[in-house]
Amino acid sequence: MLSVRDYCPFTIANYINSLRLCAAFAFFAEIIFSVNERELFLKHIAQTSPSPLAFEIAKAEGCLLYDVNGKEYIDLIGGISVANIGHRHPKVIEAIKKQLDAYMHVMVYGEFIESPQVQFAKLLTDHLPASLNSVYFTNSGAEAIEGGMKLAKRITNRAQIIAFKDSYHGSTQGALSIIGDEHWRNAFRPLLPDVLHLEYNSFESLDEISERTACVIVETVQAEAGIIVPSKEWMQALRKKCTETGTLLILDEIQAGFGRTGTLWGFENFGIVPDVLVLGKALGGGMPLGAFIADKKVMDAFTENPVLGHITTFGGHPVCCAAGMAAMNVLLEEKVISGIKAKEELFKTLLVHPKIKAIRSFGLWMALEFDSFETNKKIIDTCIVSGVMTDWFLFAPNCLRISPPLFVSENHITEACSKILNAIA
């Protein structure tokens, strides 16, 4: 009778050797694939610049990032103001896991009542003025801008949209139409017609708002221009002019919201209330989420003539809403906002150097201005090498960005400032 060994020319010994070879191959393949991760990134991920940073992240925790080699970085970008409560907060992770155990996507807009959406909308409106009581969740801030523009046209039956120079509202075609720099718009024309760009923080510019203006879209604080803060008087005059002309005032707080300026909402610093509030970034607690919020009698314009006036497949995804609600509760319950002004002052006290031409700040949100982009880029690159992750601004490339998680400690602030000053030197 033949044995297995006699029957099969591929002997047990050969089989064991082959397993060892496979294991060795897998080991070396893992090294090769790891080495080639950058190559695969450049080959298969759509690039948005000719020389991407290509920072290979392995882990993020709190205010720190870690690369694949285990090197630690203090995060001064915060995912562009996304990680307001830090990376992977335990309560956000817990909320995500709990929702995953219940359901993920079912149908986010239609006839389904989904608790994460409902409860998060209630939490948001409980902490907003009474007229901001109806929430439309989207996937991102740019989509929320698009929804706000449509809502304004629908409510007012007007066409003109007014925005401001050096403003940033997103890269979709409608949002791009109102972006405040022709350099970024020109390559994608034709865009939306009847869009007017005014000077930010200029009283004279307000004369252009008229009875044919559907809406004025304005950042509460201009972000990508390098943290430009308007005067309280100008914001109040803008509100008054919109009221007088029946124009909807849409405030873009995609970056300014959720404590970034030292108050829960940026507009609280100016004593005004918008007709429409646009949120994103930190809204989802690290998950993709945007929203525009208005009075229900305004938002109801989307329900008929036509029905389904604005719809989305994934906007208000239950897992994202669960994460966002948990993040907002952390922000409120742990009272982190009350300490932001002191941390802002610590940054400004420590960051003193003759090469810093100016520091513009509003809460834990600041721009360090240098003489040129070239100088700034060298400083940024040196910071990254030394373990501080930072970046520049879209419309202010000579300015270094500081927008860390709001939980950043005084020790991390001190360490980051020391490394920035060393980089400058």
Side-chain angles (χ1 to χ4, degrees), residues 155-173:
I155 284 291
T156 63
N157 289 315
R158 302 173 184 177
Q160 185 186 62
I161 294 175
I162 288 179
F164 292 87
K165 295 175 183 177
D166 291 334
S167 61
Y168 183 80
H169 303 285
S171 290
T172 50
Q173 289 203 58

Side-chain angles (χ1 to χ4, degrees), residues 351 356-360 366-370 376 393 398-402 420 424:
L351 289 172
I356 300 175
K357 296 171 66 67
I359 297 179
R360 292 187 297 277
M366 55 192 68
L368 272 59
E369 183 179 340
F370 298 101
N376 187 36
F393 292 89
N398 62 321
C399 293
L400 183 146
R401 182 191 301 269
I402 295 178
I420 291 171
I424 295 171

Side-chain angles (χ1 to χ4, degrees), residues 309-340:
H310 195 65
I311 53 177
T312 174
T313 298
F314 293 109
H317 192 282
V319 179
C320 299
C321 284
M325 183 172 177
M328 186 170 175
N329 277 324
V330 167
L331 201 61
L332 297 171
E333 293 166 5
E334 300 189 19
K335 303 187 186 304
V336 64
I337 297 175
S338 61
I340 286 174

